[in-house]
Amino acid sequence: MPAPRSRPAAALVLVSALAALGLGPAAGPAAAATVPVGAGSYSDTRPAGTSGPTTNTGTPVTPKVTPAAQGKPVPTNDWWSSLAFQRYGDNPYSTPMYGHPLTYQAVAGGLEIGYPTSPAIVGDGRQYEFAHKRDLTLGLTGLNSPDTKADAWSDWTVTPYWSDGARTLRTTIGHGLPFVYARGSGGDARITTAEPPAVFADQGNVLGITVAGHHYALFAPTGTDWNVSGTTVTAGLGGKDYFSVAVLPSTDALATYRKYAYSFVTGSTVNWSYDAGTVRATYTLTTEAKEGTERGTLQALYRHQWLHTADPLTPYTYVSPRGTMKVRESASFTTSQRAAATLPALPGAGVDPARLRGHLNEVANSADPFSGAVDTYWTGKALGKLAQLVPLADQIGEGAIRDKLLGLIKSRLQDWFTAGGANEFSYDRTWKTLIGYPASYGSDTELNDHHFHYGYYVYAAAIVAQYDPSWAADSAWGAMVGTLIRDTADPSRTDSAFPFLRGFDVYAGHSWASGHQGFAAGNNQESSSESTNLSAALVLWGSATGDTRLRDLGTYLLTTEGEAVAQYWFDADQQVFPAAFRHDTVGMVWGSGAAYSTWWTANPEEIHGINALPITGGSLHLAGHKEAVRRNIAEMERENGGPAVEWRDILWEFQSLADPGAAKAKWDAGNAGYTPEAGESKAHTYHWLTALDTLGAPDATVTGSIPTSAVFAKGTTRTYVAHNHGTTARTVTFSDGASLSVPARSTATGTGTGGSDPDPEPSTGNTFQLRTGGALTTATGATAGSDTLASAQGANHDGTPYRPLVYEARGVNGTLRSGGSTAFRLQVDAGTTVGLGQQARVSYDLTGDGTFDRTETYQYFATDPVTGWEEYGQSRGLKSATGTLGDLRGGTVRLEVWSAIGNGDSRLQTGTDRSVLVIPYD
């Protein structure tokens, strides 16, 4: 076996040059003082011989901010952090920043602006990038600033600041903003272009230009005029101090964008909520009218956002490394998602207690359960490994093993939670961050990876709290856990000691790992699953301690990042990665794109496994896109030249989220002679694979009324699981109508009571069963049958019917129900064929004249290769819709179902009340 994984920050397998220069010695620490926190403590000064944030050559750095921002917690680990964290001594401005759709880089003369629309595939096809390339530089005439500083920031916007003594410039930029808003003094507005611009509109103070094929609009105050001279465009500000620039989706969008050109964005805020299985988040921009009264704006939504909003969107779109961005004409929008499930552990279904006991003892009685770990990362992984086993021991009545494991965890946590020893946490008052020493992978000098490292500590503490609530009290050790949470995921915007959600980018939908963002490719995140590990830990800690604010924060983070991971790391819908990029997954996401790589190796097992580990009860969200899991495993085996060897346990467990039987068969054949991954154990792997083989894969289409609940499906049988951290029994209800009684401080498992199909049963007359031969009918009592869905023959027919099964009802009359929408539940079965996906389209001809007035195409449903019916419903989501519904007067309703992907036939059930189309009519 190879040596344990290491992650030297200089060894990234990337093609782009991430150059850095700087110089200077490291400074020594001051005398330390101990800050008591409950039963624990941290130091207010780092230990002797250690470093805090520095340049790449070791020169200590302080936040590069204006006097207006002095003393405020700086959001490191953000998409724009290089404005405030000067990583390189010769660059006092910034590295490229990827806001999407625009890219930016601060320079002496102002702000470079780009809109990269053509990806480059580099590094033997292992990386795609939409690298920053300047189209324009926004500035003031004569501006030559010695540096750029961060002046203000909000949840996803930032205001860079330039001053050369005579001229001052501020711009506001952000995720999803097609505009750059500028305020300046001491000079005229100046735009310099990368090539002579082509003018497509000249309206005095409004100028439309095209540069490098990209369309921009320049907006100066009313009464002023833009002048073009070569590659320089200037406008006097007429005594005002504002102007703006917008990238246009097309030249004919100029009038729409002009409407909002003087409604300047001044801030951004997300507000989230969790209620009975649903996570909602509202993203709001605050604005100020520089001219007139317009306070609205335009903003571009990422794929993970527009997939989950019902708010109207314009036809305008932008290109981005995250796929198509869609534009909303409003200062806010709301997303709604089924909450990701989190469990302290899987139930022990099918597990042999004697076998599990033996594996548990291997860990509990080992000479060094922490495997020599001394730094924050490897200690965290060891804590996570032990914490995973505590509920397993409890399940089989092994109280002695459980308590021994809890003792090991408590002892190590308390050691770290007490200042003055060989390891401690130290608070950096300048950067307002908590750093654990011994540090690792730049968690001290670069402020990297705090969410990766500390997530394991919070997870382990949550398991302790589940069994020993007194240990988790603030007066005991809970306050130190809370301090780690404040450093990594502080939900407060008014905490003077830590920034709001340090590593989590609420608009991008995921976290960033680099504290300084000092790369040509922007910021990055490799191990998305170690990020979601912190989110799941917040759910468990909040549930165990009764802190619903943290529980709901964790649920929002886990649900949001889970979808972002599916789309941007795994390309779940195959709509994000460029067509020329020949990989089905990536190991790292960058601001500019993504790479099939890791920081420390090109081994396919680690590239694929790094975004799965650690496998815990917080990993269940990965099962929401089972076909992506299958493609991931298939690619790993192709690239690897065969099944996994080094990280076989991680990849078995990952595969089990889609194909439990196949994963368990690999365990059965290969569990004798392997060494577990450093954060894994044979006890946990055996338990996990056996449980899912027995219960079936997680069913993400059904949610419970508390975050610590989940559903599993094997064939047509659903199993419901919930953990109740409370001190009184409760009933957990599920979105399909089932319910489960859960005793206090216990996990319950059952088949549910009072269960029904997820969609409400419609009234007579609007529910149509499918009949072999092509009829839709409201009649019941037929004999169950099935029709064959013809193979897609290996082609992609997503969105376009291909040899479809067609079912129709004619002469239909009905009054459209206010607020109603189409529903369906279709039973499909791919047998044992891998990689199939079925798709449905519903069309309405309102008057029966042969013209369909409304057509709705739904996202396809990826079936599993296990014989048995699976349910495809409208909850999969609309892919597209045209036309408008109205009353039916002798109309026709048509259902088309076809194979969108794959190479094999499948079946569609007919003649039963389980395969029906429900139309929104009375």
Side-chain angles (χ1 to χ4, degrees):
M1 292 296 293
R5 175 171 75 119
S6 61
R7 298 163 56 181
L12 172 63
V13 184
L14 280 177
V15 179
S16 300
L18 308 178
L21 292 173
L23 54 128
T34 297
V35 180
V37 182
S41 58
Y42 61 81
S43 172
D44 69 353
T45 308
R46 65 180 185 269
T50 63
S51 295
T54 67
T55 67
N56 65 308
T57 56
T59 302
V61 289
T62 59
K64 188 162 59 75
V65 298
T66 65
Q70 284 289 343
K72 296 180 180 179
V74 174
T76 59
N77 308 78
D78 215 333
W79 68 271
W80 57 265
S81 293
S82 63
L83 280 170
F85 192 142
Q86 185 177 342
R87 180 63 176 162
Y88 311 123
D90 65 344
N91 182 358
Y93 304 103
S94 81
T95 53
M97 301 173 289
Y98 293 81
H100 306 145
L102 291 172
T103 62
Y104 318 96
Q105 185 165 8
V107 294
L111 183 70
E112 289 186 357
I113 301 169
Y115 174 41
T117 52
S118 298
I121 310 300
V122 295
D124 296 325
R126 298 173 70 87
Q127 180 182 354
Y128 75 85
E129 56 183 15
F130 292 77
H132 169 68
K133 183 179 181 181
R134 180 182 78 93
D135 286 342
L136 321 169
T137 300
L138 179 155
L140 302 172
T141 54
L143 178 64
N144 186 22
S145 179
D147 57 24
T148 309
K149 298 176 180 178
D151 185 55
W153 49 81
S154 60
D155 288 7
W156 62 90
T157 66
V158 64
T159 299
Y161 170 92
W162 296 256
S163 179
D164 61 9
R167 289 156 289 268
T168 296
L169 174 68
R170 290 176 173 86
T171 64
T172 296
I173 57 179
H175 280 315
L177 298 188
F179 285 93
V180 175
Y181 306 95
R183 291 176 295 139
S185 62
D188 293 343
R190 182 185 66 182
I191 307 296
T192 57
T193 59
E195 61 184 42
V199 176
F200 65 82
D202 187 348
Q203 301 167 9
N205 67 315
V206 177
L207 188 71
I209 62 174
T210 300
V211 180
H214 304 138
H215 309 302
Y216 291 91
L218 317 182
F219 303 96
T222 298
T224 63
D225 188 38
W226 289 100
N227 297 290
V228 180
S229 177
T231 58
T232 301
V233 186
T234 57
L237 296 178
K240 308 296 185 182
D241 68 349
Y242 56 84
F243 61 103
S244 64
V245 173
V247 61
L248 303 180
S250 59
T251 56
D252 59 8
L254 178 59
T256 299
Y257 279 64
R258 179 173 184 167
K259 177 181 178 181
Y260 301 108
Y262 303 101
S263 178
F264 275 38
V265 168
T266 58
S268 55
T269 306
V270 63
N271 289 290
W272 60 85
S273 65
Y274 167 81
D275 180 54
T278 299
V279 171
R280 292 182 176 85
T282 298
Y283 300 82
T284 302
L285 295 171
T286 54
T287 61
E288 174 187 3
K290 292 295 186 181
E291 293 186 7
T293 59
E294 181 60 62
R295 295 288 301 275
T297 192
L298 296 159
Q299 52 187 320
L301 279 63
Y302 284 115
R303 179 177 181 81
H304 76 275
Q305 296 169 324
W306 56 256
L307 279 173
H308 298 286
T309 187
D311 293 335
L313 303 175
T314 71
Y316 299 131
T317 62
Y318 289 105
V319 173
S320 88
R322 311 293 179 253
T324 300
M325 300 183 79
K326 298 187 177 183
V327 176
R328 174 155 166 78
E329 191 174 5
S330 174
S332 70
F333 64 91
T334 298
T335 60
S336 179
Q337 292 178 255
R338 288 190 293 262
T342 304
L343 293 172
L346 298 184
V351 168
D352 177 359
R355 187 174 185 182
L356 178 59
R357 184 181 304 113
H359 288 313
L360 288 168
N361 277 319
E362 291 171 4
V363 178
N365 297 329
S366 65
D368 179 8
F370 290 90
S371 304
V374 295
D375 63 49
T376 49
Y377 181 73
W378 292 102
T379 298
K381 283 182 69 75
L383 286 166
K385 176 179 68 176
L386 298 177
Q388 291 171 0
L389 303 183
V390 171
L392 278 54
D394 192 54
Q395 287 175 7
I396 60 172
E398 286 293 337
I401 298 176
R402 176 200 65 202
D403 293 345
K404 183 173 184 177
L405 293 168
L406 285 169
L408 290 167
I409 296 168
K410 289 180 185 178
S411 176
R412 189 57 59 99
L413 285 174
Q414 291 166 200
D415 186 31
W416 275 91
F417 289 170
T418 304
N423 37 253
E424 67 175 21
F425 286 97
S426 300
Y427 181 70
D428 187 310
R429 288 168 290 184
T430 301
W431 285 94
K432 299 189 181 297
T433 184
L434 196 71
I435 303 174
Y437 293 96
S440 50
Y441 308 119
S443 59
D444 50 355
T445 58
E446 301 178 59
L447 301 184
N448 296 340
D449 298 357
H450 285 201
H451 59 316
F452 294 165
H453 298 205
Y454 303 172
Y456 287 108
Y457 290 70
V458 178
Y459 175 83
I463 296 298
V464 173
Q466 179 178 327
Y467 292 92
D468 187 357
S470 63
W471 184 92
D474 282 347
S475 58
W477 300 97
M480 275 300 295
V481 178
T483 306
L484 267 65
I485 292 171
R486 288 169 66 200
D487 180 73
T488 53
D490 193 343
S492 172
R493 296 179 181 86
T494 59
D495 190 336
S496 62
F498 298 98
F500 171 68
L501 297 181
R502 179 185 303 280
F504 191 79
D505 186 329
V506 296
Y507 204 87
H510 60 81
S511 296
W512 297 110
S514 170
H516 51 76
Q517 185 262 310
F519 302 99
N523 215 323
N524 71 88
Q525 179 164 260
E526 178 185 66
S527 184
S528 61
S529 47
E530 286 182 308
S531 178
T532 57
N533 184 52
L534 170 62
S535 304
L538 294 175
V539 174
L540 296 178
W541 175 259
S543 298
T545 59
D547 189 334
T548 56
R549 185 188 187 203
L550 285 180
R551 181 201 69 178
D552 294 354
L553 167 63
T555 305
Y556 162 68
L557 297 178
L558 182 62
T559 302
T560 304
E561 188 155 22
E563 181 66 8
V565 170
Q567 297 299 331
Y568 310 141
W569 274 259
F570 298 156
D571 197 15
D573 298 330
Q574 297 182 292
Q575 297 294 313
V576 172
F577 295 172
F581 183 67
R582 310 305 298 174
H583 291 281
D584 291 316
T585 190
V586 294
M588 307 180 71
V589 161
W590 287 84
S592 65
Y596 186 78
S597 63
T598 73
W599 279 106
W600 80 99
T601 183
N603 186 337
E605 294 186 32
E606 280 89 338
I607 292 172
H608 289 258
I610 193 59
N611 286 293
L613 64 78
I615 300 288
T616 73
S619 304
L620 304 180
H621 67 93
L622 295 170
H625 296 274
K626 292 181 174 61
E627 190 56 37
V629 175
R630 295 181 185 119
R631 289 197 303 268
N632 195 309
I633 293 295
E635 180 180 25
M636 184 279 297
E637 294 186 346
R638 288 195 308 270
E639 295 285 332
N640 204 46
V645 177
E646 297 170 20
W647 278 11
R648 66 182 74 180
D649 44 3
I650 296 296
L651 293 159
W652 290 340
E653 291 170 302
F654 180 45
Q655 183 178 12
S656 72
L657 294 167
D659 298 316
K664 178 60 161 50
K666 290 180 178 178
W667 159 270
D668 290 340
N671 70 81
Y674 81 97
T675 300
E677 187 273 334
E680 261 300 340
S681 63
K682 287 191 174 181
H684 180 258
T685 302
Y686 163 68
H687 181 278
W688 180 275
L689 295 173
T690 303
L692 289 184
D693 185 44
T694 303
L695 300 172
D699 182 352
T701 67
V702 182
T703 56
S705 56
I706 61 173
T708 51
S709 59
V711 180
F712 302 85
K714 188 169 187 177
T716 58
T717 301
R718 282 176 174 160
T719 300
Y720 304 84
V721 181
H723 185 85
N724 176 12
H725 284 89
T727 56
T728 59
R730 69 179 301 165
T731 297
V732 176
T733 58
F734 292 85
S735 59
D736 64 351
S739 62
L740 187 66
S741 297
V742 191
R745 298 182 63 184
S746 299
T747 296
T749 302
T751 55
T753 59
S756 65
D757 289 316
D759 302 306
E761 199 62 38
S763 57
T764 301
N766 63 358
T767 302
F768 293 84
Q769 292 187 13
L770 286 61
R771 293 287 188 268
T772 295
L776 290 174
T777 177
T778 57
T780 60
T783 301
S786 66
D787 290 339
T788 298
L789 285 159
S791 169
Q793 297 184 329
N796 187 331
H797 302 291
D798 185 11
T800 304
Y802 175 75
R803 300 166 65 191
L805 294 172
V806 180
Y807 304 87
E808 281 191 354
R810 298 178 181 271
V812 182
N813 296 302
T815 302
L816 180 64
R817 185 184 307 119
S818 177
S821 59
T822 305
F824 60 87
R825 45 186 183 271
L826 304 175
Q827 305 303 311
V828 293
D829 179 25
T832 59
T833 305
V834 175
L836 303 190
Q838 295 77 35
Q839 194 159 31
R841 183 164 79 178
V842 181
S843 303
Y844 297 87
D845 173 359
L846 300 179
T847 60
D849 64 356
T851 299
F852 285 98
D853 304 279
R854 169 74 171 178
T855 299
E856 302 170 353
T857 303
Y858 290 82
Q859 300 285 358
Y860 70 75
F861 176 78
T863 44
D864 65 30
V866 179
T867 300
W869 296 112
E870 299 177 80
E871 188 170 289
Y872 172 28
Q874 83 287 340
S875 59
R876 186 68 184 89
L878 268 177
K879 178 179 177 65
S880 64
T882 60
T884 305
L885 286 173
D887 293 343
L888 283 163
R889 295 292 180 262
T892 298
V893 179
R894 174 184 291 176
L895 169 67
E896 298 166 274
V897 188
W898 69 96
S899 296
I901 59 171
N903 196 3
D905 294 344
S906 54
R907 294 188 301 147
L908 173 64
Q909 189 178 83
T910 61
T912 77
D913 60 2
R914 299 188 67 233
S915 269
V916 296
L917 171 67
V918 184
I919 63 175
Y921 289 84
D922 296 319

